[in-house]
Amino acid sequence: MKKIILVFIFLTNLINAQHIEIDSVQNKTPSKNLKFKYKQLIIPSVLIGYGVIGIESDGLIMVNSGIKEEVNENIDEKFTIDDFSQYVPAASVYGLNAFGVKGKHNFKDRTIILGTSYIIMSASVLSLKSIAKVERPDGSAFNSFPSGHTATAFAGAEFLWQEYKDVSIWYGISGYVIATGTGVFRMYNDRHWLTDVVAGAGIGILSTKIAYWINPFIQKKIFNSRENNGTSIIAPFYNGKQFGVGFIKSF
C-alpha cells in the first residue's frame, strides 16, 4: 500500500510541475486559444517516454512487479470507482457551467475541443495497445499498455484546467487529483502496471493540449460554414473494455 501512495505523490508532483510550467510560459492577456509552446510538451513527453521505456526496461519492470505484489498481498477487495471517476473531470466542466460558473469557451466550442481530444486520445491508446500487446497484471488480456481509463481521466483533467484555471486554479487542481486517483485505482484493482498509468496520463494531457492548439483551425475550416445551422459532435471513447460513441448536438 505504501508503494501505491508513493505513486500517487509522484504523479501529483509531476502535475504541479506542469502547472508551474504552463503559468511561466503563457501570456497573461486574455485569449480563448491556448497557443503552442514547446515547453508544454515536456511533462507529457516525459510521462509517455517513461511508459514506453518501461515496456523493455528491467528496472522499471521490477518496479511494476513490486507494486503488483504489494497489491496482491495486501488488498482483497476491488473497487470499480475508476470506471466512473475517469469521466468526472470532463463532466465537471459542464456541471460548473450549468451552475453558472462560466469557463473559457461556450458550449459549442468546448464540446468541439473535448471531442477532438477524445478522438486523438482514443486513436493513440488503441494504436499503442495493438502494437505493444502488454499483458495485464491480472493476466486477463494483452492490452494493458497504455491505460485507457487514465488517459480519459487526464484528458478531462487538462480540459477542466484549461477552461477554469482563470476562474480558480483549484478547479483544475481538483481535476488532476481525481485523474491521479483514477490511475492509482487502475493499479489497485490489478488492471494496469505503473508504466501503463504514467503513459496514459501523458497521452491524455497531450491529447487535450493538441485539441486546444488546433481548435482555431478546426473552427475556421470545418465549423464556420455550419455556424448558423447548429453543430453536431461525435466523440468516441474507450474505457479499457468497451468502445463507445457520444453524440452531442447544439442548435
Side-chain angles (χ1 to χ4, degrees), residues 81-98:
I81 188 174
D82 43 301
D83 288 336
F84 305 98
S85 63
Q86 62 178 319
Y87 303 114
V88 170
S92 297
V93 173
Y94 294 92
L96 286 168
N97 192 259

Side-chain angles (χ1 to χ4, degrees), residues 114-222:
L114 181 61
T116 303
S117 172
Y118 275 13
I119 289 171
I120 296 170
M121 180 268 297
S122 298
S124 301
V125 168
L126 293 176
S127 297
L128 288 171
K129 281 181 179 292
S130 65
I131 293 171
K133 298 184 184 301
V134 176
E135 186 177 12
R136 290 183 182 270
D138 62 2
S140 61
F142 284 85
N143 61 352
S144 189
F145 181 89
S147 170
H149 281 64
T150 309
T152 300
F154 275 86
E158 179 67 16
F159 178 53
L160 178 60
W161 169 260
Q162 293 299 335
E163 289 298 310
Y164 282 99
K165 65 184 176 66
D166 294 332
V167 178
S168 172
I169 63 170
W170 293 108
Y171 289 130
I173 291 174
S174 64
Y176 268 102
V177 169
I178 294 171
T180 302
T182 299
V184 171
F185 269 102
R186 295 309 285 165
M187 294 182 289
Y188 179 96
N189 290 325
D190 207 24
R191 296 292 292 166
H192 281 289
W193 309 101
L194 171 61
T195 45
D196 304 336
V197 168
V198 173
I203 291 169
I205 294 169
L206 185 59
S207 296
T208 298
K209 285 186 178 296
I210 292 173
Y212 275 92
W213 291 332
I214 67 177
N215 183 55
F217 174 83
I218 291 177
Q219 293 280 4
K220 181 178 180 180
K221 298 298 183 180
I222 300 177

Side-chain angles (χ1 to χ4, degrees), residues 57-72:
S57 169
D58 292 338
L60 296 183
I61 289 174
M62 289 181 63
V63 173
N64 285 341
S65 299
I67 293 175
K68 173 180 169 57
E69 291 176 5
E70 186 79 15
V71 168
N72 291 341

